Amino acid sequence: MVKQRIQLFDIARGLAIFMVISAHTLTIFKGTSISNFLFLGNLAVFFVVSGYFYRPKSLMQIVKTGVNTLLIPYFIAVIGYLLIRGFIGVVFLHHEFITTAKWLSLIYANGVLATTPTGYELTAQIGAIWFLPTMFIANIIFQLIMRSSKRWEQRLVILVMFILGVGLAHFGLWPWSFQTALQVQVFYMFGYELAQYVKQHQTLIFTKWWVGWSSFTVWLVSSWFTWYGLNQGRAEHIVLATIAAAASAIAILSFSYFIERHWVWLTKFLAYAGEFSLIILIIHTTDLNLTDMYLQQFMDRQAPGTRLMMYISLTILRIGYATGLTWIILKFRLLRKWLVQRNFPITK
């Protein structure tokens, strides 16, 4: 059975994935409220939307779905990256381009350079696709939590998971960002509660203009006081960052509703990007891993005024060609099956 997609939520995913690209590209704003704003709001909406569409599943179902939709695409992206990086290293640079550190990052799925709880320094990173293994774990945890029939028990366990995740984050970066998988249970529950409110009151609360603007204000003001490294589960003010991230999801959904109603010309583009945000994420990560170091070195040599315009241009270019390459990839039946249909047979 083919599930009917809801365009509003695809638009929100499209906005979010373009914020991911912008946050990673506009490093000229690193350490500023602009960078904080982008990182506070670029990923939480994916977890909130997942919670919004929560449906009870057996453990086997959730594992199988997670393997098909998250882990297999992750390893396809890893293999593709290794092939491209290895080819460039041998053919153009004439030296080994795949180091032990890089191999470790692919297994550990660390999106940033960090220290493990054992004190080992991770000197290479996999980039933005760290999100996929983490979401695989987080989906399983949320399904297990929701098996309780009592709402107060669910909320209590969510709170405990959040506190535990925050505590684990202080010891270092765990494999597959396990500490983050615990923390984002708050976003799943927030999305679930939002869906229950909508069902009970028969109204999309985030379509109210005052809800959207209030959420945006919380998000914006919070960016003046805290950063949020979701991959590490760390923030300057973790509670404020979590509240701001949840508020950003509401603001993005509210803005998506406005776009759907008033900017038809933009709706199809963003909905397309949201529907295939996984492929865009993979392309963007590959691009970052292969080119970002060289682009940063080039940008740093430019005059300040020119540098800003070049960063903005590069952001637009990356959004454009990531979406364009996605369209090209989807023309290949085998790649479309691997990355979109994702219904691989798994032996029980």
Side-chain angles (χ1 to χ4, degrees), residues 54 143-155 157 189 192:
Y54 162 78
Q143 282 285 340
L144 293 175
I145 291 173
M146 296 302 287
R147 288 188 174 187
S148 171
S149 59
K150 298 178 181 178
R151 188 68 65 86
W152 71 267
E153 287 184 352
Q154 295 170 353
R155 292 169 176 170
V157 175
M189 181 55 78
Y192 176 76

Side-chain angles (χ1 to χ4, degrees), residues 21-62:
I21 296 175
S22 301
H24 291 155
T25 305
L26 295 172
T27 53
I28 191 173
F29 295 118
K30 186 176 181 179
T32 70
S33 59
I34 295 175
S35 178
N36 292 347
F37 179 83
L38 292 171
F39 278 106
L40 279 168
N42 62 9
L43 286 177
V45 68
F46 288 101
F47 297 110
V48 171
V49 170
S50 291
Y52 187 92
F53 289 108
Y54 162 78
R55 295 291 181 274
K57 295 180 181 179
S58 68
L59 184 60
M60 179 57 69
Q61 281 180 310
I62 193 64

Side-chain angles (χ1 to χ4, degrees), residues 116-143:
T116 70
T118 61
Y120 183 85
E121 292 290 335
L122 296 166
T123 57
Q125 60 191 26
I126 185 55
I129 55 172
W130 68 267
F131 173 81
L132 302 179
T134 302
M135 196 169 198
F136 171 75
I137 298 173
N139 285 345
I140 294 173
I141 294 173
F142 189 66
Q143 282 285 340

